[in-house]
Each structure stands twice: as structure tokens, then as C-alpha cells.
Amino acid sequence: QVQLVESGGGLVQAGGSLRLSCAASGRTFRRNAMGWFRQAPGKEREFVAAISRSGGTMRYSDSVKGRFTISRDNAKNTVYLQMNSLKPEDTAVYYCAADEATISVPTTPSAFDYWGQGTQVTVSS
């Protein structure tokens, strides 16, 4: 079992920055690909970013590419999402997810095995 706890969400003005963190329990973190997803009210959960277990490969949705950066620290069992140049349309609950024992970097929610409880990000105009 893997438990994921997100933090770092909040209210920010458009153009501002936030850094989300996701702390993972367990000894398998370094074998998991990790991802960030978001869900706005009335919308489906959508892919934001993902990173391979080594940290060498990252993938981003077109809507955040160039503004968001995903990274991980395997020594701290933590994955991060640095969000810059935030826009009101980035407002959503952001979820961290873990995909066990894979060398790929998945981008679909169904590929991930564990999820955090989510953290709210609100960007005001």
C-alpha cells in the first residue's frame, strides 16, 4: 500500500506561482511513476504532468507545458509540481497519483494505482 498526501495548495492571483508537494509512504516510491491530475467542478479529471521513477522523463499536458514543472526527490519520497504563470483556468483540485512498478510514464488516470486526497488551487483574476 502507498499513501499519498498533497500539500501546498491555496489562493493565488493570476500570474502568480505555487508549489505543490506530495509525500508518499512506503518503501516502493522509487519504483513508482508519479503523476499530477486536476479536476475542476463539473469537469472530468484531467492529466497535468507525470514523471518516471528515475526522474529522467517527464510528460506534460499541452495546457501547462512551459508553465509547470514536475520533479521528484526519491530520498525524501516526495514529488513536486512547480506552477508558474498561473491562470484562472488552472483552478481545480489537484491530485497526486502513483503507478506501481512501471518503466513507462502514463498519462491516463486508469493507469495509476494510488491517489491522494487532493489539494485545492484557486487562481483569481
Side-chain angles (χ1 to χ4, degrees):
Q1 283 287 339
V2 174
Q3 291 186 326
L4 304 172
V5 179
E6 302 98 334
S7 62
L11 173 64
V12 64
Q13 289 188 330
S17 299
L18 283 174
R19 188 175 84 152
L20 305 184
S21 299
C22 173
S25 66
R27 294 175 288 182
T28 63
F29 178 79
R30 63 182 65 247
R31 297 203 298 268
N32 298 343
M34 300 296 296
W36 287 97
F37 291 78
R38 65 188 182 187
Q39 189 166 18
K43 295 187 177 181
E44 293 187 353
R45 192 167 296 190
E46 66 169 347
F47 170 73
V48 175
I51 189 167
S52 63
R53 55 188 183 181
S54 70
T57 301
M58 288 78 77
R59 292 189 178 182
Y60 298 93
S61 69
D62 288 342
S63 61
V64 308
K65 197 172 296 182
R67 300 187 297 123
F68 291 10
T69 302
I70 189 171
S71 61
R72 67 189 296 161
D73 186 337
N74 285 347
K76 295 182 178 180
N77 278 18
T78 302
V79 62
Y80 304 96
L81 185 69
Q82 177 66 45
M83 305 185 295
N84 298 329
S85 302
L86 282 161
K87 304 175 182 180
E89 51 263 44
D90 295 318
T91 295
V93 177
Y94 283 71
Y95 296 92
C96 171
D99 179 8
E100 285 189 311
T102 178
I103 61 172
S104 65
V105 186
T107 61
T108 57
S110 60
F112 288 83
D113 303 293
Y114 301 100
W115 293 83
Q117 81 289 349
T119 185
Q120 176 71 45
V121 172
T122 303
V123 184
S124 63
S125 57

